Amino acid sequence: MSTRPARTRLGASALAVAGVLFALYPATRPWHDEATVDGATRAMSSDWWVASHLFAMIGFILVTLGLLAVRDAVRHTRAERLAFAAVVTGWIGVGLVLPYYGAEDFGLHAVAGKYAAGQPLDLLDLVDTVRYAPAAITTFGIGLIALAVSAIVTAVAIWRSGVLPRLSGILFALGFALFLPQFYTPAAVRVAHGLLIAVGSVWLALALWSAGRTSPAGSRSGAAS
């Protein structure tokens, strides 16, 4: 008995959980004016700062498992190579994004905690140094662009495969294509963006879960039709 349907359903579950985590990320993130010392201290020293960014980091990891499930689902179709390219691009993107998130989460939280405890630090200067170091911001940007490309290629693969519903990858692709631009928008827009990724991820997860009930032979016959 093939284990492929079970792997596909596991990937679908991972993708659904990722969607929920990406919705929680901006919804639970402390929103204060980080251009001021008081606002930066209140936001970054909060335990919710750590938790919310951790939600995003786990979400990125789970998305890569979802991409593997998409590749499994379309393996016997003409879209398999595209899905494989999406997996590789997505892994590269997540690998480049996570170090920046780690610095943003744990590094800035530690610095803000020291400042809140009375350490004589130039908090805003340190925050800018962490966030805008050339290597850090460049790899972060490249990583998010790679993730956007991966999500778009995933949607194209789904569209061409004939195995999954054609529209099931559209919102997923749109959410990750907007991940970089949404950082320059107000908090309400960022919360809405988190919900967009959640809806897109869960929609795709449901499509994958249904595909997980289809046998490999059924996938091949569907690809030939």
Side-chain angles (χ1 to χ4, degrees):
M1 184 177 179
S2 173
T3 60
R4 188 168 299 152
R7 291 203 308 264
T8 302
R9 289 195 295 269
L10 284 173
S13 299
L15 195 59
V17 174
V20 173
L21 292 174
F22 278 118
L24 288 173
Y25 163 42
T28 61
R29 181 192 190 280
W31 292 106
H32 301 288
D33 184 1
E34 293 166 21
T36 67
V37 172
D38 180 64
T41 304
R42 291 171 63 194
M44 296 172 191
S45 64
S46 168
D47 290 339
W48 280 109
W49 178 270
V50 176
S52 61
H53 287 78
L54 195 58
F55 292 154
M57 288 189 280
I58 296 172
F60 283 124
I61 294 169
L62 293 178
V63 162
T64 63
L65 302 181
L67 294 177
L68 278 174
V70 173
R71 196 230 175 178
D72 262 0
V74 307
R75 182 183 295 271
H76 297 290
T77 74
R78 61 176 181 165
E80 191 274 338
R81 289 186 178 181
L82 277 175
F84 177 73
V87 169
V88 174
T89 307
W91 284 352
I92 292 171
V94 168
L96 292 173
V97 163
L98 286 181
Y100 189 93
Y101 261 89
E104 179 88 359
D105 190 0
F106 308 121
L108 294 186
H109 178 71
V111 169
K114 290 288 188 181
Y115 182 84
Q119 292 284 341
L121 303 173
D122 188 339
L123 179 61
L124 296 183
D125 181 65
L126 286 172
V127 168
D128 286 347
T129 299
V130 171
R131 282 181 166 172
Y132 303 116
I137 198 69
T138 300
T139 55
F140 180 62
I142 292 172
L144 287 178
I145 291 170
L147 277 170
V149 170
S150 172
I152 292 169
V153 173
T154 297
V156 173
I158 290 169
W159 189 275
R160 292 183 179 179
S161 71
V163 174
L164 298 170
R166 282 187 163 183
L167 296 179
S168 61
I170 299 299
L171 289 183
F172 176 77
L174 182 61
F176 281 95
L178 294 175
F179 213 108
L180 184 56
Q182 60 92 28
F183 282 113
Y184 301 95
T185 62
V189 177
R190 293 187 62 180
V191 171
H193 175 260
L195 292 175
L196 172 64
I197 289 189
V199 172
S201 298
V202 171
W203 185 3
L204 180 52
L206 290 173
L208 286 168
W209 187 271
S210 297
R213 299 173 182 167
T214 304
S215 68
S219 297
R220 285 192 289 272
S221 63
S225 62

